[in-house]
Amino acid sequence: MSIPVFSFVAFSGTGKTTFLEKLIPQLKARGLRVAVYKHDAHEFEIDKKGKDSWRFTAAGADVTVISSNTKAAVMENRYVSPEELVAGIHGVDLIITEGYKAGPWPKIAMRRRESGNDFPIPPEECLAVVTDEPAPGAKRSFGLDMVSEMADFLKEQAGI
């Protein structure tokens, strides 16, 4: 059985990260193991210049892995599709992506009046929306402070 994936999508400055920071503990309180996959439109840097793992990557390694007793990271030094990365996530009950409005997973679009942006995709194309304004056409609407309700909704949608 595949792990349910839900994509939270919004323009920058809407509050996706803040909402997810509040949502993750709510999901954990319901006994769920959660993975979060962040889309970064910029070239992020995970390794420190001069460190061993950076040196291995600079030498041409296609994949560099670093681990300790408390965490691990796999650096794919090549393009890997979002679907392939999600397929490699194991041992969790639910996967949340931040971003990927064009991805294949059910979307939860966010809009905050103060940001001045609209929804990134039409509300009627989304599983739900999170907003501080009316959202005509939305199948389900949550306020920006309805984090607990969103946790219950995701658990229900995931069939957990």
Side-chain angles (χ1 to χ4, degrees):
M1 186 167 139
S2 65
I3 300 168
V5 181
F6 300 97
S7 292
F8 281 76
V9 298
F11 291 106
S12 182
T14 301
K16 293 182 305 291
T17 300
T18 300
F19 190 82
L20 292 178
E21 278 181 310
K22 296 174 183 174
L23 179 61
I24 293 165
Q26 289 288 326
L27 293 167
K28 299 291 289 176
R30 287 158 177 76
L32 301 180
R33 297 167 300 162
V34 181
V36 180
Y37 176 6
K38 163 83 173 126
H39 178 252
D40 184 6
H42 313 286
E43 287 294 320
F44 67 91
E45 197 62 44
I46 192 171
D47 215 356
K48 293 183 181 177
K49 187 174 182 173
K51 291 294 187 180
D52 292 351
S53 53
W54 180 89
R55 291 170 62 191
F56 299 146
T57 299
D62 295 301
V63 178
T64 306
V65 180
I66 184 169
S67 68
S68 71
N69 289 336
T70 58
K71 58 187 163 184
V74 176
M75 293 166 280
E76 297 275 358
N77 304 310
R78 59 190 173 88
Y79 174 77
V80 181
S81 74
E83 294 83 0
E84 190 178 347
L85 289 169
V86 163
I89 298 173
H90 305 285
V92 297
D93 301 305
L94 180 74
I95 300 170
I96 295 171
T97 74
E98 183 182 323
Y100 294 108
K101 68 181 177 186
W105 308 293
K107 313 290 183 291
I108 298 167
M110 296 183 67
R111 179 174 191 261
R112 186 168 44 92
R113 178 184 318 119
E114 185 182 307
S115 74
N117 293 317
D118 203 352
F119 287 106
I121 54 178
E124 58 272 11
E125 294 178 17
C126 301
L127 181 63
V129 298
V130 178
T131 184
D132 57 358
E133 293 188 303
K139 296 173 186 155
R140 186 78 189 267
S141 188
F142 295 86
L144 295 171
D145 60 344
M146 296 177 70
V147 180
S148 180
E149 293 86 348
M150 177 58 74
D152 291 335
F153 177 72
L154 291 178
K155 188 172 178 181
E156 175 188 311
Q157 291 297 309
I160 302 170

